[in-house]
């Protein structure tokens, strides 16, 4: 009960600071450019902290450690890919994108290709990616609150939605910048402090609370454990025979009492309760390594796991640059050079963060093997402090972690809601501040609705799917649009439809298969290795076939994208569309004198 | 369904964004004040850039090519490096048994090493890109 008290106070504190910073940030926000791009006046280091704060979502804060617990060393490709994506963004996209002067991703597409059609398609995919990314955040928020307080799962998602929507209503991008920058440092502290303390605790007494196992062996329960299967059917693999008590259904047959399990795979229906005695071997959810030998060594899963790893590298390396909520933050930089500096600083901040979840994941393998049975490994980081330190210290650490996780949901969701609302309000509605606010409410409602309807899967996996979608749609659009004169709007639209269509179908198939017994092959859950090259090829081939549709002014456009900032070619499209008469006059004036301001 | 579907207001906004020079190349009055005496040529180069005369277009093409070469080179190196790791681990599983101070080498290679390397590559690119841009500005200004 006291643990719940500490965690709840920490969460309330995070929410209060979020509101306060949002209020401070939004006092001066009243125009559309304020809401969309914070007037493009965010300094590079603060913007980098805000980007990292927004990017370190539930998938990073909870998911990475959970995947390390389950899949071992191969899960380290997630943090590597999540970071390397910013390198690709820095190399190919950051500066030219800012110099385009666009205010959303669809606006960039229209500015570059001169067609409203490509803008509409981009809008559709921005909304898709945004929602696909938002849903796991809200679901994980539910999981977090359930894990630490026992409140129902829908409650956490709802709380996050309400806080985010209220904050964004107040000041849009201007309000959330400070919030996200603060939340990066909050999250870094919330993961670093427990890691240091728990690691020292582990070094002081490596055997307390764990079961002695060799490096080769199967994981064992440190104490007797009762596990209930939640709402989905799970399959577990048994490597070493064991006896346990089961109340419920195994492989569709009723069971009530002691059961012997030999080596093999068992299917457990929802509601089934398993009681393991202390020291019993741990069955592991199907698809993950069953013993420590395979867990500690890379690439032991055969050729299909190898392909999955490559697909993951592809999706994360190329997908980051297509994430609309990340890109929209780069529009808030004053110029292209600042955008580049921001991206570089993000690489540093992310590298600093990602060391810690790995350590927590390894520790939780020793202390929390019960999570391996039902696969709910996202809870590992939350449960570890109190399992390792069953006293006040553990409770306070647990509260810090809970607050960090909550900050992760809030900052990521804020960024997603701002980017989706910005696109919806400027492309579907007239784009006034009032439209932005309506779009915010609408986005929040859709997201929370879907979060309650769709089945929960690992946060990192769902997020990896949105990376695949981004890598197969916006990555080719941006890279070809920025560097290749030949891209036409017809080619871009075809590429978006083919790449995006394939990823969305894969997602639908995998959801269907998760309801009907997980029959889908591995590449369906991680399709980037196939879809990204096809999307690129489609854009190039169709653009070549429709060469005369290329915009006549393509040379001027590429000049805008690549000319160094001191030459003064940047024209901000949000001012041109939404600015006051005074701002427009100033821009026109700059433009007239722009050529003279060469130094 | 052509790019002219944009309609009139959008078209006007697009012209504002592209600058008047983009569509109507016309004579431009240049007033030199005393401090900007040496700027005459710079101004002319910038106007050439905007009007995309053959010289201006060549300059921009070269800049883009330079930047793309830097970006591609580094991205390729990083991607190749990353892609070699899983296949090496797969083909030589005995690497998994190597240890330093009780920690498996693959854990260090994947959990620690990539982050400073990625930052370093980013730093190199930023320096190269900014140097290319500085050279470009200097060339235009001189």
């Amino acid at each position: 009960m006291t643990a719940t008290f500490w965690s709840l106070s920490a969460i309330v504190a995070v929410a209060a600071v979020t509101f306060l910073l949002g209020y401070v940030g939004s006092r001066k926000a009243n125009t559309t450019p304020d809401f969309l791009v914070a007037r493009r006046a965010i300094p590079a280091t603060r913007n980098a902290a805000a980007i990292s704060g927004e990017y370190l979502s539930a998938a990073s804060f909870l998911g990475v450690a959970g995947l390390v617990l389950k899949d071992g060393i191969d899960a380290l490709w997630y943090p590597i890919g999540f970071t390397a994506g910013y390198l690709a963004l820095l190399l190919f996209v950051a500066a030219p994108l800012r110099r385009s002067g666009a205010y959303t991703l669809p606006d960039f597409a229209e500015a570059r290709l001169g067609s409203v059609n490509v803008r509409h398609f981009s809008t559709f995919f921005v909304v898709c990616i945004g929602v696909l990314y938002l849903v796991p955040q809200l679901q994980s928020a539910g999981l977090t609150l359930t894990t630490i307080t026992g409140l129902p799962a829908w409650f956490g998602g709802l709380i996050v939605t309400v806080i985010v929507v209220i904050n964004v209503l107040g000041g849009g991008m201007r309000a959330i910048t400070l919030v996200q920058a603060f939340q990066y440092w909050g999250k870094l502290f919330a993961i670093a402090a427990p890691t240091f303390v728990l690691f020292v605790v582990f070094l002081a007494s490596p055997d307390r609370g764990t079961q002695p196992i060799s490096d080769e062996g199967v994981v064992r329960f440190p104490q007797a454990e009762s596990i209930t299967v939640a709402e989905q059917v799970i399959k577990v693999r048994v490597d070493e025979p064991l006896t346990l008590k089961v109340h419920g259904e195994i492989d569709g047959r009723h069971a009530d009492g002691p059961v012997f399990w030999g080596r093999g795979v068992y299917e457990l229906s929802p509601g089934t309760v398993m009681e393991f005695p202390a020291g019993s071997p741990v069955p592991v959810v199907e698809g993950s390594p069953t013993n420590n030998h395979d867990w500690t060594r890379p690439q032991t899963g055969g050729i299909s796991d190898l392909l999955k790893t490559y697909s993951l590298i592809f999706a994360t390396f190329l997908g980051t640059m297509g994430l609309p909520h990340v890109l929209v933050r780069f529009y808030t930089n004053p110029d292209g050079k600042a955008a580049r500096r921001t991206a570089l600083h993000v690489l540093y901040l992310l590298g600093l963060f990602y060391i810690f979840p790995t350590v927590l994941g390894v520790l939780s393998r020793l202390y929390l093997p019960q999570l391996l049975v039902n696969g709910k490994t996202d809870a590992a980081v939350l449960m570890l402090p109190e399992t390792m330190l069953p006293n006040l210290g553990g409770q306070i650490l647990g509260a810090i972690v809970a607050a960090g996780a909550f900050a992760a949901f809030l900052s990521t969701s804020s960024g997603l809601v701002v980017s989706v609302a910005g696109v919806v309000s400027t492309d579907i509605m007239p784009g006034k501040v009032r439209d932005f606010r309506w779009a915010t409410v609408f986005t929040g409602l859709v997201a929370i609705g879907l979060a309650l309807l769709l089945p929960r899967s690992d946060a990192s996996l769902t997020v990896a799917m949105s990376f695949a979608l981004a890598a197969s749609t916006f990555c080719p659009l941006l890279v070809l649009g920025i560097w290749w004169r030949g891209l036409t709007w017809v080619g871009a639209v075809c590429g978006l439809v083919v790449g995006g269509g394939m990823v969305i179908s894969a997602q639908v198939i995998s959801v269907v298969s998760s309801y009907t017994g997980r029959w889908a092959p591995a590449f369906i859950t991680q399709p980037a290795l196939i879809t990204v090259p096809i999307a690129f090829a489609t854009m190039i081939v169709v653009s070549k076939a429709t060469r005369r549709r290329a915009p006549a002014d393509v040379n001027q456009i590429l000049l805008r994208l690549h000319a160094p900032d001191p030459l003064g070619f940047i024209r901000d499209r949000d001012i041109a569309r939404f600015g006051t008469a005074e701002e427009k006059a100033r821009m026109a004036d700059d433009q007239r004198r722009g050529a003279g301001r060469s130094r | 369904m052509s790019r002219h579907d944009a309609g009139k207001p959008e078209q006007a906004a697009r012209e504002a964004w592209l600058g008047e020079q983009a569509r109507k190349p016309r004579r431009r009055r240049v007033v030199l004040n005393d401090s900007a005496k040496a700027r005459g040529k710079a101004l002319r180069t910038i106007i050439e850039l905007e009007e995309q005369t053959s010289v201006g277009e060549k300059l921009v093409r070269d800049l883009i090519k330079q930047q793309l070469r830097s970006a591609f080179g580094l991205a390729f190196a990083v991607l190749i490096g990353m892609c070699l790791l899983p296949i090496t681990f797969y083909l030589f599983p005995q690497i998994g048994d190597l240890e330093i101070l009780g920690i498996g080498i693959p854990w260090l290679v994947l959990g620690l090493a990539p982050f400073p390397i990625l930052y370093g590559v980013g730093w190199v690119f930023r320096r190269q890109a900014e140097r290319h841009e500085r050279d470009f500005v200097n060339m235009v200004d001189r």
Side-chain angles (χ1 to χ4, degrees):
Chain A
M1 196 55 220
T2 45
T4 312
F5 167 76
W6 285 112
S7 306
L8 273 182
S9 343
I11 288 177
V12 169
V14 166
V17 174
T18 303
F19 268 129
L20 189 71
L21 290 176
Y23 176 73
V24 170
S26 56
R27 269 180 310 175
K28 285 189 183 151
N30 45 29
T31 65
T32 307
D34 275 331
F35 275 72
L36 290 176
V37 290
R39 267 175 206 270
R40 314 206 188 243
I42 312 289
T45 44
R46 188 190 299 169
N47 201 17
I51 289 174
S52 315
E54 165 184 82
Y55 189 63
L56 295 172
S57 61
S60 301
F61 197 88
L62 303 176
V64 168
L67 284 171
V68 170
L69 160 64
K70 192 162 58 176
D71 295 339
I73 189 165
D74 290 338
L76 295 182
W77 284 106
Y78 281 91
I80 297 175
F82 288 157
T83 312
Y86 277 93
L87 183 67
L89 203 156
L90 167 65
L91 296 179
F92 293 111
V93 175
L97 188 73
R98 169 60 191 95
R99 289 179 184 139
S100 73
Y103 48 87
T104 59
L105 198 43
D107 189 52
F108 169 82
E110 194 202 330
R112 167 65 181 82
L113 298 166
S115 152
V116 200
N117 299 317
V118 72
R119 184 175 186 131
H120 295 328
F121 278 97
S122 307
T123 303
F124 172 76
F125 283 112
V126 166
V127 174
C128 274
I129 295 172
V131 171
L132 200 59
Y133 212 110
L134 201 46
V135 165
Q137 305 303 321
L138 299 178
Q139 290 179 331
S140 305
L143 169 89
T144 307
L145 232 60
T146 313
T147 311
I148 57 186
T149 65
L151 289 167
W154 54 268
F155 189 72
L158 194 67
I159 291 275
V160 169
T161 316
V162 167
I163 295 178
V164 165
V165 166
I166 291 178
N167 242 352
V168 175
L169 283 180
M173 188 57 111
R174 203 118 185 221
I176 65 164
T177 302
L178 210 54
V179 172
Q180 290 177 330
F182 158 75
Q183 280 167 345
Y184 169 75
W185 295 106
K187 274 183 273 192
L188 185 65
F189 171 73
I191 200 133
T195 308
F196 281 122
V197 174
L198 296 180
F199 196 62
V200 169
V201 169
F202 166 72
L203 288 182
S205 53
D207 298 329
R208 194 164 58 102
T210 63
Q211 279 286 318
I213 38 167
S214 67
D215 264 1
E216 318 296 316
V218 175
V219 187
R220 288 166 190 283
F221 286 106
Q223 67 257 348
E225 196 73 52
S226 168
I227 296 168
T228 309
V229 180
E231 63 270 20
Q232 282 172 53
V233 174
I234 56 171
K235 280 185 187 171
V236 292
R237 178 172 285 280
V238 176
D239 216 22
E240 193 182 305
L242 73 155
T243 317
L244 73 165
K245 281 186 184 158
V246 179
H247 310 282
E249 279 185 4
I250 311 169
D251 296 337
R253 280 194 304 275
H254 186 73
D256 197 11
V259 181
F260 172 80
W261 278 358
R263 289 174 67 115
V265 180
Y266 297 87
E267 196 178 289
L268 302 157
S269 306
T272 306
V273 182
M274 290 164 280
E275 287 173 28
F276 297 94
S280 141
V282 180
V284 177
V285 70
E286 170 74 343
S288 299
T290 48
N291 58 52
N292 278 359
H293 178 273
D294 290 351
W295 183 82
T296 46
R297 284 163 184 75
Q299 303 301 337
T300 47
I303 199 87
S304 85
D305 267 25
L306 191 66
L307 290 178
K308 231 168 124 181
T309 304
Y310 279 125
S311 208
L312 179 72
I313 293 176
F314 241 72
T316 47
F317 190 72
L318 297 175
T320 309
M321 71 169 81
L323 294 176
H325 63 297
V326 168
L327 290 178
V328 77
R329 287 230 57 103
F330 279 90
Y331 296 126
T332 64
N333 279 118
D335 57 25
K337 197 171 162 187
R340 217 178 261 142
R341 276 164 195 258
T342 301
L344 185 63
H345 201 66
V346 171
L347 281 175
Y348 158 71
L349 294 176
L350 291 183
L352 200 61
F353 180 90
Y354 275 128
I355 297 182
F356 300 107
T358 310
V359 178
L360 287 182
V362 173
L363 283 179
S364 53
R365 179 97 176 167
L366 293 170
Y367 293 88
L368 293 167
Q370 68 267 31
L371 295 177
L372 293 172
V373 181
N374 54 14
K376 298 232 175 242
T377 48
D378 281 352
V381 176
L382 296 167
M383 292 167 65
L384 194 60
E386 276 195 73
T387 313
M388 286 183 71
L389 277 178
N391 55 27
L392 185 68
Q395 289 171 3
I396 291 178
L397 282 185
I400 291 175
V401 171
F406 205 66
F409 309 133
L410 285 179
S411 55
T412 308
S413 313
S414 322
L416 287 161
V417 167
V418 165
S419 67
V420 174
V423 168
V424 168
S425 69
T426 52
D427 287 343
I428 302 175
M429 299 194 245
K432 299 276 184 313
V433 168
R434 201 182 34 156
D435 303 315
F436 185 91
R437 291 188 163 133
W438 277 115
T440 304
V441 173
F442 173 74
T443 312
L445 284 178
V446 170
I448 187 71
L450 284 174
L452 298 179
L453 279 178
L454 293 176
R456 236 194 74 74
S457 91
D458 287 335
S460 286
L461 297 181
T462 327
V463 163
M465 194 54 130
S466 20
F467 274 84
L469 186 54
S472 320
T473 51
F474 291 125
C475 165
L477 176 69
L478 287 166
V479 170
L480 294 176
I482 288 172
W483 299 101
W484 186 47
R485 279 157 213 268
L487 186 69
T488 66
W489 73 263
V490 189
V493 166
C494 290
L496 285 179
V497 170
V498 170
M502 283 191 302
V503 177
I504 290 177
S505 347
Q507 171 77 358
V508 169
I509 292 174
S510 91
V511 167
V512 170
S513 109
S514 82
Y515 268 121
T516 53
R518 300 189 185 280
W519 42 266
F523 72 88
I524 291 286
T525 53
Q526 194 49 266
L529 196 59
I530 305 166
T531 56
V532 175
I534 294 182
F536 265 99
T538 313
M539 278 200 195
I540 293 172
V541 169
V542 176
S543 291
K544 291 221 177 221
T546 56
R547 202 170 298 152
R548 53 192 189 84
R549 300 260 191 193
D553 42 18
V554 63
N555 285 328
Q556 268 88 17
I557 295 170
L558 261 78
L559 168 70
R560 286 251 175 292
L561 298 183
H562 294 280
D565 309 305
L567 298 181
F569 284 117
I570 294 185
R571 303 279 173 271
D572 288 334
R573 291 168 56 90
D574 50 327
I575 303 284
R577 186 170 160 194
F578 305 110
T580 58
E582 189 193 337
E583 285 167 329
K584 280 182 191 162
R586 200 184 311 138
M587 190 172 93
D589 200 36
D590 278 356
Q591 192 167 327
R592 228 168 290 125
R593 283 182 304 131
R597 272 189 314 136
S598 58
R599 226 179 239 283
Chain B
M1 290 297 220
S2 79
R3 38 182 294 273
H4 298 291
D5 287 354
K8 279 225 162 80
E10 293 282 337
Q11 200 59 48
R14 186 169 176 78
E15 268 170 28
W17 175 66
L18 281 170
E20 52 199 89
Q21 298 299 332
R23 301 215 167 263
K24 297 166 260 180
R26 63 173 177 216
R27 191 179 293 271
R28 186 162 190 163
R29 179 182 302 183
V30 176
V31 183
L32 295 175
N33 57 25
D34 41 356
S35 69
K37 213 168 180 182
R39 291 267 178 89
K41 192 177 169 216
L43 207 49
R44 200 161 60 233
T45 323
I46 290 171
I47 293 169
E48 267 180 3
L49 287 177
E50 265 206 73
E51 288 181 352
Q52 294 283 310
T53 59
S54 54
V55 178
E57 198 187 320
K58 173 87 170 62
L59 287 177
V60 177
R61 266 182 201 273
D62 285 352
L63 174 69
I64 295 177
K65 213 177 282 173
Q66 258 182 336
Q67 301 283 46
L68 189 60
R69 202 175 299 138
S70 286
F72 245 116
L74 292 172
F76 204 63
V78 168
L79 208 55
I80 290 289
M82 289 207 300
C83 288
L84 276 180
L85 281 176
I87 191 83
T88 316
F89 289 141
Y90 178 74
L91 293 177
F92 306 99
Q94 59 272 31
I95 298 175
D97 298 327
L98 303 176
E99 284 189 358
I100 296 180
L101 302 174
I103 305 173
I105 284 184
W107 284 88
L108 295 175
V109 168
L110 294 181
L112 217 53
F115 303 110
I117 294 176
L118 290 174
Y119 182 84
V121 174
W123 188 84
V124 169
F125 174 73
R126 198 201 78 186
R127 226 182 48 156
Q128 289 185 354
E130 286 185 0
R131 198 181 56 224
H132 295 153
E133 289 184 355
R134 231 178 6 252
D135 292 350
F136 187 80
V137 171
N138 286 342
M139 186 177 57
V140 167
D141 244 6
R142 203 151 291 144

